[in-house]
């Protein structure tokens, strides 16, 4: 069976694991950084696009509001009254001025702008659309205004300025007025002021910070409004003051410097807006954290010297980039977990598959072994059956041989008895012969009575002879062993009966210490009788030469419950050698022709066959003693002897 421990994955050594962890960490960090940067890049690009769109809208709004008046000064130039007014002092100057004012007023009313006015070459307002108001510009000296200086030199000018009378900001378009009659000499300047109220209103509505900056980097309009008149960078105070006087009606400029650089802001540039950002824009920026990053996008407004700048807060981009970085890290984590989970599942499945294969192999091995064992067992069983059959056959053969031997032994005993029996029978036979001859004689003589008496005696004698032959017939019968209840005393009597004449002749005293009907054994009557005949015959042989011949029988019950029938004689007893070999086949001390040496062997086999036994030893008063062990009745009470 394969070693399952060898299949387990070996864990990486510690330094390798640390390296792996470090690599994983680096991968996570790299992915987080990459995702952050990518998201930031796309976020900024999107923001740039939105800002560009916002710039488009704002630019269009300013353009429509501010520059739509750019061509008006040309119309002023065409008015003959104004040209005449500017040509020089004449008598109808007042009338000309009134006409010019009226013209300008109508033109202005038509346009809906704040003011249209005309300056002479000294910079004094000679005609104005607002002539009807008390705070009109008529007579004002605007020579300090930059647009005037340019226009009087013949160059059209336009710029933002604050007039010092109404302190109203506006966008001024100035065009030199030339006199055809004086060889196109500049005789005055026509000016249109565009209001920027609408633009301002729109500007202040901006959510994100937005600026309009002029060519001097001064903030003209701002959301938040606090940044108005701030500068992008710190500038020399003198220059700012001069500019303030000339263009902004003395308004202080550059009190706040935004400290931002808008170079390259046309394409979008990341700047940090200063801490003095209005409160609503920096409420969640801690002072220590400094300025907040913004994307600045600027655009030059065509036809003006203005730049529009919009700022977009980059924090949402940062938050979004951080979220994307976290999501990508989480996704990588999930992917890794998924991979690990899949690998683990595969490994488990492989483990299960291997275990199943192992189990299958073990099963197959077991089945093979079982088959082998079964085959072995079947073979062994068949062998045993063959052996049993052989043994049964051998037993049958043995039993048949034993029966033959028993029969042979019986016939041998009968042979030995034949002389005695012949002697026993010869006497009555002679008497019968004499009596029957006498009876015939008596009948011939007519002595019927005497003849009848003789025949009666003959009948008695034949009966006596029958009694002698009957037991011999029973003894000689060849019969199979069948157990039954056998009275031991009766069996002893039957055996003794066969030796009756020899016992008398050899003057043997017999002691029957057994009460009839008291000791019942469970055995074959005929076989027991044969054993007893053998024992009695041997005892008589052993006592033949002895002066005292005593044969005694007694029955006892052994501790095992068996009946112990003792047959003792007063013969020559056993030598040591005889006692050692007594039950061996063909052991005999008798003369050839007197004994085969099979009697005791067969007797013990017969007894063992029905559960008994035969033992030998010396008798207490000398001689031999055989003990016949007999099984008692199986279920009846084992009666006492
Ligand atoms: P056999 O009688 O043909 O010799 P047995 O098996 O009956 O064969 O007896 C074997 C021998 O046992 C006898 O030859 C004899 O030596 C001895 N033996 C048997 N019975 C007695 C006995 N009662 N006393 C002394 N020896 C005996």
């Amino acid at each position: 069976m394969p070693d399952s421990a060898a299949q387990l994955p070996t864990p990486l050594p510690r330094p390798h694991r640390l390296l792996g962890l470090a690599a994983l960490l680096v991968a996570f960090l790299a992915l987080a950084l990459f995702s952050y940067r990518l998201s930031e890049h796309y976020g900024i690009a999107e923001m740039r696009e939105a800002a560009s769109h916002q710039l488009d809208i704002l630019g269009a709004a300013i353009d429509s509001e501010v520059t739509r008046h750019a061509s008006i000064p040309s119309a002023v130039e065409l008015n003959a009254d104004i040209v005449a007014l500017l040509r020089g002092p004449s008598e109808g100057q007042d009338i000309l001025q009134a006409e010019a004012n009226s013209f300008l007023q109508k033109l202005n009313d038509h346009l809906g702008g704040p003011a249209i006015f005309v300056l002479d070459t000294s910079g004094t307002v000679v005609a104005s659309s607002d002539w009807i108001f008390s705070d009109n510009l008529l007579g004002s000296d605007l020579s300090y205004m930059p647009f005037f200086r340019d226009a009087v030199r013949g160059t059209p000018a336009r710029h933002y300025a604050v007039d010092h009378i109404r302190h109203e900001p506006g966008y001024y378009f100035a065009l030199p007025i030339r006199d055809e009659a004086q060889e196109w000499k500049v005789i005055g300047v026509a000016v249109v002021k565009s209001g920027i109220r609408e633009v301002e209103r729109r500007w202040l509505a901006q959510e994100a910070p937005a600026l309009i900056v002029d060519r001097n980097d001064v903030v003209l309009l701002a959301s938040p409004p606090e940044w108005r008149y701030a500068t992008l960078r710190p500038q020399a105070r003198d220059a700012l003051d001069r500019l303030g006087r000339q263009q902004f009606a003395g308004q202080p400029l550059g009190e706040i410097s935004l400290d931002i650089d808008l170079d390259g802001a046309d394409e979008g540039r990341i700047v940090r807006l200063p801490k003095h950002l209005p409160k609503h824009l920096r409420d969640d920026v801690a002072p220590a954290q400094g300025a907040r990053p913004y994307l600045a996008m600027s655009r030059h407004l065509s036809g003006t010297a203005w730049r529009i700048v919009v700022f977009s807060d980059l924090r949402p981009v940062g938050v979004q980039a951080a979220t994307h970085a976290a999501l990508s890290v989480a996704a990588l984590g999930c992917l890794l977990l998924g991979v690990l989970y899949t690998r683990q599942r595969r490994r488990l499945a492989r483990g299960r598959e291997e275990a199943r294969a192992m189990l299958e192999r073990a099963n197959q091995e077991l089945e093979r072994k079982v088959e082998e064992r079964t085959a072995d067992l079947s073979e062994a069983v068949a062998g045993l059956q063959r052996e049993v059959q052989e043994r049964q056959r051998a037993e049958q053969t043995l039993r048949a041989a034993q029966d033959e031997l028993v029969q042979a032994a019986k016939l041998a005993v009968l042979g030995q008895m034949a002389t005695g029996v012949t002697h026993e029978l010869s006497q009555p036979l002679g008497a019968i012969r004499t009596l029957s001859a006498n009876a015939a004689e008596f009948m011939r003589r007519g002595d019927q009575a005497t003849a009848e008496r003789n025949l009666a005696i003959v009948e008695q004698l034949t009966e006596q002879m029958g009694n002698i032959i009957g037991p011999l017939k029973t003894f000689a019968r060849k019969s199979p062993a069948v157990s039954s209840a056998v009275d031991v005393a009766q069996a002893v009597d039957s055996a003794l009966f066969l030796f009756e004449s020899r016992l008398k002749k050899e003057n043997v005293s017999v002691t029957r210490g057994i009460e009839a009907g008291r000791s019942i054994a469970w055995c074959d009557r005929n076989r027991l009788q044969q054993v007893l005949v053998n024992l009695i015959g041997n005892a008589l042989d052993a006592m033949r030469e002895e002066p005292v011949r005593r044969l005694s029988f007694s029955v006892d019950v052994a501790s095992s419950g068996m009946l112990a029938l003792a047959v003792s004689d007063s013969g020559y007893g056993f030598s040591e050698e005889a006692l050692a070999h007594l039950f061996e086949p063909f052991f005999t001390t008798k003369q050839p022709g007197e004994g085969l040496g099979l009697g005791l062997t067969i007797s013990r086999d017969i007894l063992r066959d029905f559960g008994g036994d035969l033992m030998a030893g010396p008798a207490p008063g000398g001689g031999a003693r055989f003990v016949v062990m007999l099984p008692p009745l199986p279920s009846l009470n084992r009666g006492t002897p």
Side-chain angles (χ1 to χ4, degrees), residues 416 534-543 567-575 578 581-591 594-603 623-626:
Q416 286 173 3
N534 190 45
L535 292 179
I536 294 164
N538 278 347
L540 294 180
D541 289 348
M543 290 188 296
V567 182
S568 311
D569 63 56
S570 56
Y572 49 71
F574 305 115
S575 67
H581 303 285
L582 218 52
F583 294 102
E584 287 175 12
F586 306 110
F587 172 78
T588 180
T589 55
K590 294 176 186 169
Q591 293 300 312
E594 286 187 7
L596 281 172
L598 283 172
L600 289 179
T601 313
I602 293 171
S603 296
R625 184 185 195 194
F626 285 86

Side-chain angles (χ1 to χ4, degrees), residues 74-141:
S74 311
V76 173
E77 193 185 25
L78 298 175
N79 186 276
D81 292 332
I82 289 172
V83 174
L85 181 67
L86 291 172
R87 269 181 186 156
S90 64
E91 287 170 7
Q93 196 75 357
D94 291 345
I95 299 164
L96 281 175
Q97 188 178 38
E99 289 292 332
N101 282 341
S102 167
F103 170 71
L104 292 177
Q105 184 192 353
K106 280 181 195 155
L107 191 61
N108 193 45
D109 287 348
H110 179 68
L111 294 173
I116 304 174
F117 50 91
V118 175
L119 307 174
D120 62 13
T121 49
S122 67
T124 307
V125 177
V126 292
S128 173
S129 62
D130 64 350
W131 63 279
I132 50 167
F133 299 108
S134 57
D135 56 348
N136 61 44
L137 290 170
L138 286 172
S140 303
D141 181 7

Side-chain angles (χ1 to χ4, degrees), residues 369 381 484:
K369 281 188 178 166
V381 166
S484 61

